[in-house]
Amino acid sequence: MPTLREVLDQRVREADSSLYEKLDNRRVRCFSCGHCCPIPEGQPGVCKVRYNRGGTLYVPWGYTAGMQCDPIEKKPFFHAYPGALAYSVGMLGCDLHCAYCQNWVTSQALRDPRAVSPPLEVSPQVLVREALSQGAKVVVSTYNEPLITSEWAVAIFKEARSAGLVTGFVSNGNATPQVLEYLRPWTDLYKVDLKSFDDRRYHELGGRIGPILDSIRRIYALGFWLEIVTLLIPGFNDSEDELRKLCEFVVNVSPDIPWHVTAFHADYKMDGERDTTVDDLLRAAEIGRQAGLRYIYAGNLPGSVGPHEDTRCPQCSETLIQRYGYLIEEYRLTTDGRCPRCASSIPGRWAPEFSGQIASIPFRPHKNSAGWRSRLFTITGH
Ligand code: SF4
């Protein structure tokens, strides 16, 4: 029986030429994420899934390690097609190693021996057919860090676009100018996890804050629809000073970027910190408001944060979208995305009209599924 490494080594192709360069002595430099790894011959990059064989960079291709239809609010996107279903697909691996990762079984594959998730052989055509058969409006690359598997995401997005679907990235934002240029023609929505505003914290997670802040500015400037999430972890990233600086940075890019501040619960290796409380979320939301952010959402504690799940008009305070968790309880935006009371334009990607909530909870395919069959690899471990 093959190992996961052996199976994945069969599911690769050469990296897009814009995402790497050849160096001397058969070394290559990858530009798919902010690490910009120089990779010696025969070695993988930090993410473990892109590797140099004979002076050529090989990258993941032709499989998925997880797919599921979710409400788009779960990604979370609150200003993009509310109520739509987002068909979410992922591969394996990540360029960071967050101790609290909720997707560690897929993201830490090839790094943590306990993270074993067998890949499923599949084509972009089959994935998009499946998304359509389940009623999805959006296809999202998520679960692992999609930047490190950008070529495969773009292959799926090209297919999705030609079928009339919207496309999105759920990412840590550790990007490069090269990869954002590569993604831009095929990607509509981009969610960034801004995990901290302290470079020392990012070092603990395996990254640097510089490339992430640069990427946030660039994602916005390039015209992706951008929303930012900060998982609020008591004692890790919740000091008043840090939150104020983080919010001021986002306001500086644009006060119209929605900021989701969400509640932490113990996961993976981070089980010493206490869970985030309602008061913690409300304090962070108030810091965001004072900094000048116009759209702040407190997440993961549905029904407990008052109006902080709702979208309100920043001009006249009219409630425009009322939510409970992922569920839209009321939708009052006009067909052209304006406040019905004062006609202010609300930034976002709005459908011409709200077609109702397709699903309030994640669901798995049943009778509407296209019924595809594929090869699930059996593996022995790493
Ligand atoms: S995706 Fe990032 S971590 Fe992986 S090889 Fe490329 S630069 Fe290195």
Side-chain angles (χ1 to χ4, degrees):
M1 208 181 288
T3 64
L4 178 60
R5 174 83 271 170
E6 287 164 347
V7 167
L8 294 184
D9 281 354
Q10 301 302 312
R11 318 233 63 77
V12 291
R13 59 156 244 188
E14 185 178 353
D16 187 87
S17 60
S18 67
L19 295 184
Y20 84 110
E21 65 178 3
K22 299 199 179 208
L23 305 173
D24 56 1
N25 297 324
R26 294 192 165 190
R27 293 180 313 135
V28 300
R29 185 182 302 280
C30 175
F31 298 119
S32 210
C33 90
H35 291 321
C36 295
C37 300
I39 311 175
E41 214 257 309
Q43 297 297 316
V46 168
C47 60
K48 308 282 189 206
V49 299
R50 297 169 80 89
Y51 61 85
N52 178 350
R53 191 197 296 153
T56 297
L57 183 63
Y58 286 89
V59 303
W61 192 259
Y63 77 87
T64 178
M67 64 276 176
Q68 176 172 295
C69 251
D70 289 324
I72 195 167
E73 285 75 16
K74 191 181 176 198
K75 301 299 98 185
F77 288 110
F78 274 20
H79 286 224
Y81 310 100
L85 266 179
Y87 188 73
S88 307
V89 292
M91 298 184 100
L92 293 171
C94 189
D95 54 335
L96 302 183
H97 47 79
C98 306
Y100 52 85
C101 183
Q102 292 167 2
N103 291 323
W104 66 272
V105 173
T106 48
S107 74
Q108 298 307 306
L110 300 173
R111 196 179 276 135
D112 182 333
R114 293 174 300 156
V116 176
S117 181
L120 185 70
E121 187 177 50
V122 71
S123 69
Q125 292 77 12
V126 165
L127 287 172
V128 169
R129 213 166 56 228
E130 188 66 12
L132 290 169
S133 76
Q134 293 186 42
K137 180 173 182 57
V138 185
V139 172
V140 174
S141 187
T142 179
Y143 302 139
N144 74 318
E145 173 48 49
L147 287 166
I148 68 173
T149 49
S150 286
E151 289 90 347
W152 178 239
V154 164
I156 297 168
F157 288 178
K158 285 180 177 174
E159 196 68 29
R161 277 278 185 81
S162 67
L165 297 174
V166 174
T167 60
F169 246 41
V170 172
S171 165
N172 61 31
N174 187 28
T176 62
Q178 292 91 333
V179 76
L180 293 176
E181 292 289 344
Y182 174 69
L183 293 169
R184 183 62 197 101
W186 306 106
T187 312
D188 301 298
L189 318 174
Y190 203 119
K191 189 215 82 173
V192 172
D193 256 315
L194 182 53
K195 298 166 189 286
S196 167
F197 209 71
D198 182 340
D199 194 44
R200 288 170 308 169
R201 291 302 192 192
Y202 263 106
H203 276 269
E204 290 173 28
L205 309 178
R208 294 176 296 133
I209 197 169
I212 292 163
L213 300 187
D214 287 347
S215 296
I216 287 173
R217 292 188 194 97
R218 194 173 293 268
I219 289 164
Y220 184 78
L222 286 171
F224 295 87
W225 174 252
L226 170 64
E227 303 200 16
I228 292 178
V229 178
T230 300
L231 182 69
L232 194 68
I233 305 175
F236 180 79
N237 61 2
D238 69 335
S239 78
E240 177 145 356
D241 183 53
E242 180 169 350
L243 289 172
R244 190 173 36 76
K245 286 180 182 155
L246 186 153
C247 293
E248 285 171 357
F249 164 79
V250 179
V251 168
N252 226 293
V253 180
S254 169
D256 284 339
I257 297 171
W259 182 50
H260 303 256
V261 57
T262 59
F264 160 85
H265 62 266
D267 210 323
Y268 193 31
K269 296 175 182 168
M270 190 179 270
D271 51 13
E273 277 70 12
R274 67 170 173 84
D275 289 357
T276 312
T277 64
V278 169
D279 285 349
D280 295 328
L281 289 186
L282 297 183
R283 181 177 64 85
E286 177 57 21
I287 292 170
R289 191 192 65 77
Q290 287 176 9
L293 286 169
R294 296 193 182 121
Y295 305 98
I296 301 167
Y297 300 105
N300 286 357
L301 295 175
S304 306
V305 292
H308 291 280
E309 296 184 276
D310 304 336
T311 301
R312 274 169 300 159
C313 175
Q315 288 301 325
C316 71
S317 299
E318 182 81 345
T319 298
L320 304 172
I321 304 174
Q322 191 177 320
R323 301 183 183 82
Y324 177 90
Y326 309 140
L327 184 67
I328 308 288
E329 292 187 322
E330 201 178 343
Y331 185 93
R332 303 192 57 237
L333 276 175
T334 63
T335 52
D336 58 350
R338 292 178 180 276
C339 171
R341 184 161 150 204
C342 72
S344 291
S345 179
I346 306 301
R349 300 285 183 271
W350 312 111
E353 67 185 46
F354 180 57
S355 51
Q357 185 91 30
I358 304 179
S360 58
I361 54 168
F363 69 95
R364 293 192 175 280
H366 41 89
K367 62 183 178 188
N368 287 332
S369 166
W372 56 292
R373 294 280 176 272
S374 191
R375 183 152 63 116
L376 180 68
F377 295 98
T378 315
I379 52 176
T380 55
H382 289 188

